[in-house]
Structures are given as C-alpha cells and as structure tokens.
Amino acid sequence: MTVKPPEDSLIGAVEAGGSKFQCALVRGDGQVLADRRIPTTDPGETLARVLGFFAEAQHRLGAARAFGIGTFGPVDLDPGSPTYGRLLTTPKPGWAGTDVRQALIERFERPVAIDTDVNAAALAEARCGAGRGLRSLVYVTVGTGIGGGVVQDGRTLHGSTHPEMGHILVRRDPRDAGFAGVCPFHGDCLEGLASGTAIEARWGARLDALATSTDALDLIGGYLAQLVVSIALLTACERIVIGGGVMTHGALLPRIRNAASRFINGYLPVARADPTLEAYLVPPALGERSGIIGAALLAQRML
Ligand code: ZN
C-alpha cells in the first residue's frame, strides 16, 4: 500500500486584489490550514509579505505542490507571451508590469497557475457553488471596479486577453445626463457609471448610505441590468452569479432582476422559464470565499 505524504496534497492559493491579497495554504480536500490577509500597498512590500506568509506556513505545515493565483487585472494570460502572468495597464499606481507568478516560481520552485480573480471565482462557483451541475456560468463582481469571468465545461474563457465586461458601453439613463463617468479610459462605460467608485463620485456616499434613494437604486440597477442582458445574449450561459461590495445592498439585486427581465422581454428561453430571473441571476453561494477557492482550483486543475 502506498501512502501519499500529506504535504503532497497542499496547494498555495492567492487572491490578488486591488485592496488586499488573500493568501491560503489549502489541503486537497479544501480545508484551509493557514491563511492571511495582506493589504495591497506597493508591489515590493506586498509581494515580500505574501512570500513571507507562504515560507512560514510551508515550514510549519508542509510544502505546497503548486500555487494558484486569481488576480486583479488586466493581466497577460497568454502562455506564449514573454510577459505571461504580468499585470498590464492597471490604473493601480506602481503595479503595471508586476509579476506575482514569477515571484512565487523563483522563491518556491513550484508550478504556478494564474487567471483573473473573476475567472477564478467563476470556476469555484461553477464547481462547488451556485453553478454546481451546470455546464456554463458567468461570475460578475461589482465593487471598486466591475469585472466578469466565464466558465464553460470547466474551462475559463480567455483569448487575446481575458473578458473585460466592466468596460462595455451602456445606454445612458436620461436622469444621469449630467454625470461624465469615472473610467480613466472611457469615461461613461459601465464601470465609469455603475462601479462603487462611480457611485461615490456621483453622490459622495456608498450605495448603502443612500438606502432610501429609490432613484439611485433604479439608476445603478438599470445599468447593471444592461450588463446582465448583454451577458445572457452574448454567452448564452446557464446562470449568472453577481457579487462584490456594491451588491451587499440587499435591495439592488431585485432591481437588477426586474430591469433585466423587462429588457429581455421574454425573448430568451432562460427568461421565459424564469420570468423573475430568481434562479438565473443569483448571489455567490460561496460568499467572499469564491476567489480564494477558485485560486486553489486553478492549481489543482493544472496538476
Ligand atoms: Zn472603461
């Protein structure tokens, strides 16, 4: 009988975000043995602390067989590219060109898988969350920015780059004519109009603090509904999971479902089967853990 040494099944997982890096050493069965939340400051300091966490955790608990990273973007995901794994034109100061993957490879000499944070989260929700049993799922996050990841038959979608759903063009709400939008590249793309950053720029407060403002909820709900409709039309996915900081406002999801259902107007089979979209457009079943679980799954899938 062969018994695998327990450290053989360990995976290092990193969810690299614009405000924090979530790191975990995870067992093959998904149990988290050690984890740490590291604030995102400058790349040098942040990466040193990430490497320090994994060095200490592996010394104590055993070596990881591989690492998985779900990162904010944009990031080069073309394995044939000389800049594979590096952050690209991120507006986050100092981070363009940063290579989290290479830093882990050089320090620990293990294979490292990388994908976007939202593709990782989509993978986790598809495998063991809100999309269990389905073949296709899209995961959308609405926070400081807006992003989306796509899973089809267990694979995440990328081509020349990865999906950049936050920057789609949307039809302007006439009530919103005076607001220019905050996207540094496009002004009034979806992210420029409906992200947490846009909400604070427009009203000087988070959506939670505008709880009684029906107009604010309608406006943001309407813009996000346009994303939902576009996703449904473009990908024909079986379910959309929507999470992120802005979505913690409990009244927003019903508004988005309502507006999206009106836009679709019975055209798509998913909406005919589920006119209120309560089964089609859902919150993440894994809550805030979908990103880190997805990062671990990226590594496992590579092995
Ligand atoms: Zn944009």
Side-chain angles (χ1 to χ4, degrees), residues 167 183 185-186 189:
H167 297 273
C183 176
F185 289 90
H186 319 111
C189 66

Side-chain angles (χ1 to χ4, degrees), residues 218-250:
D218 266 356
L219 202 70
I220 299 305
Y223 285 138
L224 294 173
Q226 293 189 56
L227 173 63
V228 167
V229 173
S230 295
I231 291 169
L233 293 169
L234 289 166
T235 72
C237 65
E238 293 160 288
R239 188 161 292 157
I240 299 172
V241 177
I242 187 164
V246 172
M247 293 306 301
T248 55
H249 192 305

Side-chain angles (χ1 to χ4, degrees), residues 17 28 64 73 82 89 116 124 126 130 132 167 190 209 213 217 219 229 265 278 282:
T89 51
T116 60
R132 210 188 294 220
H167 297 273
L190 177 70
S213 169
L217 278 173
L219 202 70
V229 173
N265 197 24
E278 274 175 51
V282 299

